[in-house]
Amino acid sequence: GKRWDVVIDTATNLTWTREAVAALRGSATRYMYVSSTGVFFPYRTVDIPENGPVPLADTPAQDPPSYGVLKAQSEQLVRNGFPGRDLIIRPGYIVGPGDTSDRFTYWPMRIARGGEIPVPGRKRDTVQYVDVRDLAEFMVHLIDDDAAGTFNVTGPATQQTFEQFLETLRPLAATPVSYIWMDDYAWLKDANWQEVLRDPSLLDPDIRAYLEAENAFTDNVLGRTEALQKILVKEMRGRIKEDDSSVPA
């Protein structure tokens, strides 16, 4: 016979969320589910809207489903069980008190020691994170306002590059610090690339292995569309003069 103003669910377990939704549908005013921006994995675009599509199944299928798919499926359970009374919160990386992942804290702790610091990526890469205290305050604010719907939650408020993030931490250094930037894909830039263009057999074995693995993955994912691919190629070739060298209008 008890009633609750709001349910707050952080689970990544479909059974738990399904049973909670079924049990509380008639006794809770609102259901808040803490999901994740992981529903957008593998993050192949930017400015993703809350109402944009998210994968509800893995390709190829996984058992159990991946983290992002589990979160997306759980979101649907909540929306279906509490239509118009659902609150879906999608935080990015959550940092602050209680964060034991070391994804964020590594940087201030390492920079405080000073010296040369290897940094993966490029200076212009952007970073996003949200402090757990800000996240909690925002969630309470939504509840107080009787809000409903889906909210992507991350920060900072303005775009921040990796370089800006690290420079903000530089004052922590006990001794002078220097950043050694290491491009994630620098190893793909073969030093003898001009020779490789003339003779592909000269390609670095590690780079070749990586490219072959990427091709194998693509073939596996798109294998079921092979017939359609052939139809599309045939259609496109049928509309193009193969000896056409004119500039597109």
Side-chain angles (χ1 to χ4, degrees):
K2 287 187 177 181
R3 293 194 59 83
W4 289 270
D5 294 326
V6 62
V7 178
I8 301 178
D9 179 359
T10 64
T12 311
N13 184 304
L14 286 174
T15 300
W16 293 355
T17 298
R18 182 182 295 109
E19 292 180 353
V21 168
L24 298 168
R25 184 181 291 120
S27 55
T29 303
R30 197 167 304 282
Y31 198 109
M32 173 179 280
Y33 180 71
V34 182
S35 183
S36 167
T37 55
V39 298
F40 299 120
F41 183 83
Y43 312 107
R44 288 177 177 155
T45 185
V46 295
D47 297 327
I48 305 174
E50 279 87 348
N51 60 356
V54 298
L56 292 173
D58 292 298
T59 304
Q62 297 184 33
D63 184 22
S66 64
Y67 175 80
V69 167
L70 280 174
K71 283 294 191 182
Q73 292 177 354
S74 297
E75 290 183 3
Q76 287 299 97
L77 290 174
V78 174
R79 292 191 188 96
N80 294 338
F82 283 77
R85 297 180 293 142
D86 59 293
L87 266 172
I88 308 297
I89 310 300
R90 292 175 178 158
Y93 283 138
I94 303 175
V95 304
D99 175 20
T100 59
S101 70
D102 206 31
R103 293 176 297 192
F104 183 93
T105 51
Y106 167 81
W107 294 107
M109 295 295 291
R110 175 61 187 87
I111 290 170
R113 288 164 29 208
E116 292 188 346
I117 303 176
V119 181
R122 295 165 296 184
K123 294 180 179 181
R124 65 178 182 276
D125 290 342
T126 55
V127 295
Q128 289 185 312
Y129 46 87
V130 59
D131 189 287
V132 66
R133 291 160 291 194
D134 294 331
L135 174 61
E137 182 178 349
F138 179 69
M139 290 165 60
V140 171
H141 172 73
L142 292 176
I143 294 169
D144 286 342
D145 283 356
D146 290 328
T150 303
F151 298 84
N152 298 338
V153 186
T154 191
T158 57
Q159 188 179 80
Q160 185 180 56
T161 66
F162 201 1
E163 181 181 32
Q164 290 170 332
F165 171 75
L166 295 177
E167 288 300 329
T168 300
L169 299 174
R170 186 184 288 274
L172 296 174
T175 60
V177 62
S178 60
Y179 301 124
I180 311 301
W181 291 89
M182 306 175 69
D183 190 330
D184 293 331
Y185 298 99
W187 64 277
L188 280 173
K189 300 171 184 175
D190 203 322
N192 65 331
W193 64 270
Q194 291 176 315
E195 289 80 2
V196 169
L197 289 177
R198 290 189 288 269
D199 182 1
S201 68
L202 298 176
L203 183 64
D204 184 290
D206 288 338
I207 298 177
R208 181 181 299 280
Y210 175 85
L211 295 175
E212 289 176 348
E214 285 284 297
N215 289 338
F217 174 80
T218 301
D219 290 342
N220 181 56
V221 171
L222 299 178
R224 59 190 177 85
T225 69
E226 185 176 357
L228 176 60
Q229 292 177 46
K230 291 179 179 178
I231 293 172
L232 292 175
V233 170
K234 183 178 179 181
E235 174 71 17
M236 288 185 285
R237 291 188 65 177
R239 295 171 179 267
I240 299 173
K241 294 180 181 179
E242 295 199 21
D243 61 349
D244 187 3
S245 60
S246 61
V247 178

